[in-house]
Amino acid sequence: MPEIKPPLTDLPIKTATSGFYNGFSLDVTVTSKLAVGGLVLWAVAFPAQAGAVLSGLNTFILANFAAWYIYVMAAFVLVCIALAIWPTAGRLKMGGPDDVPEFSNFSWFSMMFGAGIGVGMLTWAVAEPIYHFNNNPEVIQGLATARGEDNFLNAYQWSYLHWGFSAWSSYAIAGLALGYFTYRRGLPLTIRSSLTPLFGKALSGPLGHVIDIVAVIATILGVAQTLGFGVEQFVAGMSRIGIGDWLLNDEGTASTVGILFAIFIIMGASTLSALSGVGKGIKWLSNINMGLSIFLLAFLMIFGATWFGIQALFLGMWEYVISLPAMIFTVYRGDGGEVSQALENWQGAWTVFYWAWWVAFAPFVGLFLARISKGRTIREFVLGAVFVPAVMCFVWFSFAGGTAIELELSGVAEGQIFGATDGDKIFAMTGIMLGETLGWIMAVIIVILLMTYLVTSADSAVLIVNTINAAGDEGPKARPHIIFWGVALGLVVAALLLVGGLTAIQTAMVIGALPFSLVMVLMCLGLFKAIYNDGIREKNGVPSIYPAAADPAE
């Protein structure tokens, strides 16, 4: 019988010991800054070329990697199911045998939901069901009627696909991989640690640096996507409450001045919040955020289309669950026919885009989930991090989107919600429901809620990027580095919006997520190998838990 070796518990990562980059990995930090700075300068200095190149790359990726994104996300769902039902995996803790969860279940669920969803709810809980009510694969294939009652559940089936178990499975894998190796092995809280079963000590060098750099760039582009949607919606809201028509252009979308105005406010507030730290600014904003979210959801449940929303929730979830195997594995390929090409275009614009977005968001959300989940078993973590937040998304979509659909079906909205931009749809809906004066008050509340979501997303991203740059150490958060990433994030959003609008951000994010999707596949393999080996170690009395490993900064 071969000797059973203990796991790797020491992964030294070289960091600067003095000067401006004290506590940070020079290789990761400087390279990440150059890459993000280069993207901004390129977009600003050569906007036409940048727009054309991004468009060409988007076409190339959709033609060649759409299937990869579809199958990778399907694999993540299967991996989470396997980890939950695998007896050896299910009982292992993210931590030592005496570690207990730091947060109650309610607090844990609330923080997971806020980290993973945030601003997306305010834009897409109304906009996406409305869009799919008008067009989706069943409509394209002639199996349902656009804007017809027979298309109602299809709208929810596809909305739930994009915001349900697939999205949260990708977050859960990133969070579990980070938490498992940090709290069972004492390894640094950074992306490279999750690949130690595959590459071992080699991750201390260039290979590990590349993995962390890929994670930083994916995070910046993923959060930039969220902020891009948020900027459009923030400008629409500011215009609704009477700040000024100068915020909008002739097409009703954010003008150049409006974009710069919104980014200045959002990134200024988020940078100040990040400088104050998690215990002050982020916690204070999160409390406001949760209170306003509960108020808005309660308003929609009570005064919106309540019965319609209940049907959307339960019938939509049933349709989603029974259709899930087919939906997550189907790749639409154009064969020259009009219908097949329309299906491929639809999937590229929606499903592939979302899968790239969630992959890009995974290092950000995953690292946060790991930080708040120490002491929980793998089964508890997987079920809690996938099922509960997904159901909360379904509740938001059913009552917000259901109210909008019901207003259009009944003729009350008279096409106003259909005709509004994506970011403006929630303002159009509440305006129709409440009238001019009360609608204005609700618009103010939504703008404040949107602002808190945007600021908490941006400042959390800045702190997490700095954690990765500092080799997993949450200590050295020097003010200049926080300010740099706050400014850089704002500039990425502004530059890409001005070059090609949300499409340019979407394209950059799809490109940036591609290499990290490979890292996530390796995370899955590393997890399975580590859990299998830990099971063998337990049976043979070989320790597998080393929470007090060497300081990664040494």
Side-chain angles (χ1 to χ4, degrees), residues 149-167:
E149 291 190 23
D150 64 332
N151 195 37
F152 161 56
L153 289 180
N154 294 328
Y156 277 92
Q157 169 183 315
W158 292 105
S159 297
Y160 290 172
L161 170 69
H162 297 146
W163 292 80
F165 302 146
S166 300

Side-chain angles (χ1 to χ4, degrees), residues 168-198:
W168 287 96
S169 292
S170 66
Y171 297 160
I173 285 167
L176 181 57
L178 288 164
Y180 191 87
F181 294 100
T182 298
Y183 302 128
R184 286 183 68 87
R185 304 282 197 261
L187 294 173
L189 183 61
T190 189
I191 307 301
R192 70 177 80 185
S193 296
S194 62
L195 305 187
T196 49
L198 304 178

Side-chain angles (χ1 to χ4, degrees), residues 21-24 466-467 469-479 481-482:
Y21 286 101
N22 183 30
F24 288 85
N466 272 320
T467 297
N469 287 334
D473 185 359
E474 298 177 74
K477 297 295 179 285
R479 287 174 176 265
H481 298 283
I482 290 174

Side-chain angles (χ1 to χ4, degrees), residues 210-270:
V210 169
I211 288 165
D212 282 348
I213 290 164
V214 164
V216 168
I217 293 171
T219 299
I220 290 295
L221 293 176
V223 175
Q225 179 68 68
T226 299
L227 294 176
F229 284 129
V231 163
E232 291 277 345
Q233 191 166 35
F234 184 74
V235 169
M238 296 291 275
S239 178
R240 283 270 178 178
I241 62 178
I243 298 299
D245 292 336
W246 54 273
L247 294 167
L248 302 175
N249 56 29
D250 293 338
E251 289 78 40
T253 56
S255 65
T256 300
V257 176
I259 289 170
L260 296 175
F261 170 76
I263 289 174
F264 178 79
I265 292 177
I266 293 162
M267 296 314 301
S270 65

Side-chain angles (χ1 to χ4, degrees), residues 122 285-299 396 442 444-453:
L122 293 179
L285 284 168
S286 295
N287 290 339
I288 296 175
N289 184 303
M290 188 56 65
L292 291 177
S293 297
I294 292 170
F295 168 77
L296 180 58
L297 180 59
F299 167 78
W396 266 97
M442 182 59 79
V444 171
I445 292 171
I446 294 171
V447 167
I448 294 170
L449 176 57
L450 176 64
M451 181 73 176
T452 63
Y453 268 136

Side-chain angles (χ1 to χ4, degrees), residues 7 157 192 292 316 333 349 364 366 378 382 473 516 527 545 549:
Q157 169 183 315
R192 70 177 80 185
L292 291 177
R333 302 183 189 277
F364 165 45
I378 290 177
V382 169
D473 185 359
F516 193 71
L527 263 175
I545 301 172

Side-chain angles (χ1 to χ4, degrees), residues 453-496:
Y453 268 136
L454 290 169
V455 170
T456 50
S457 294
D459 60 15
S460 299
V462 167
L463 291 175
I464 282 172
V465 162
N466 272 320
T467 297
I468 297 173
N469 287 334
D473 185 359
E474 298 177 74
K477 297 295 179 285
R479 287 174 176 265
H481 298 283
I482 290 174
I483 293 169
F484 172 87
W485 286 112
V487 172
L489 188 52
L491 289 175
V492 167
V493 177
L496 292 175

